[in-house]
Amino acid sequence: MSTQSAHATGEDRNRIEREISIAAPVERVWAVLTEPEHVGAWFGQGEPAPIDLRPGGIMRLDHGEYGQFPTTIVKVDPPHYFSYRWASAHPGEVAVEGNSTLVEFTLTPEGDGTRLRVVETGFEEIAIPEERMPTAGYESHCAGWTGQAENIKQYAERLAA
């Protein structure tokens, strides 16, 4: 399911990459990643996530006990590429260069389904307060994206039923 290589061995602690095959068309996976009711369901607390889907727009991620995160959308290329900045070490702060990592979703048709690649980069360029390391550090996100990729897969496939 996940991409193994330098990422698994810790050689590159600035980049996390996960790939997963989803038995749902690209358009449905795109909706799951970019529409408020879907993002709120697989990522957050079930409530719709407010999203201004344009470069420079804000997507508000509710990460429950870990805080609210106003991510800044970087690029929107429907239905194949979506990226945003996430200041996971700074709940409540708008994500900008200098306080955030870059999260990129690439969707590629794969038969009747979709190959989803998630890449998060930039951990070495930001200062993460010691008390936030358990939820905002590289190790936390490595495990987090493994789980979230599976959440996205299961959620998108259930929508088809």
Side-chain angles (χ1 to χ4, degrees), residues 18-39 42 51 53 59 77-82 84 104-118 145 148-160:
R18 299 287 179 267
E19 279 198 12
I20 195 165
S21 290
I22 301 174
V26 168
E27 292 75 15
R28 182 177 313 126
V29 178
W30 176 261
V32 165
L33 295 174
T34 61
E35 293 181 5
E37 66 275 17
H38 300 314
V39 174
W42 68 263
I51 301 172
L53 192 62
M59 175 172 67
D77 182 14
H80 301 291
Y81 180 87
F82 173 56
Y84 60 82
E104 301 172 274
F105 297 95
T106 305
L107 294 76
T108 307
E110 186 177 68
D112 291 337
T114 304
R115 168 64 74 177
L116 174 65
R117 187 175 81 220
V118 182
W145 280 117
Q148 290 294 33
E150 190 60 37
N151 286 348
I152 294 165
K153 172 184 171 68
Q154 290 178 5
Y155 183 83
E157 289 176 355
R158 272 198 314 269
L159 283 180

Side-chain angles (χ1 to χ4, degrees), residues 70-119:
T71 68
T72 302
I73 295 170
V74 175
K75 187 173 179 185
V76 181
D77 182 14
H80 301 291
Y81 180 87
F82 173 56
S83 64
Y84 60 82
R85 292 200 149 280
W86 179 20
S88 64
H90 306 283
E93 285 186 31
V94 172
V96 295
E97 282 193 47
N99 76 350
S100 62
T101 53
L102 179 67
V103 176
E104 301 172 274
F105 297 95
T106 305
L107 294 76
T108 307
E110 186 177 68
D112 291 337
T114 304
R115 168 64 74 177
L116 174 65
R117 187 175 81 220
V118 182
V119 177

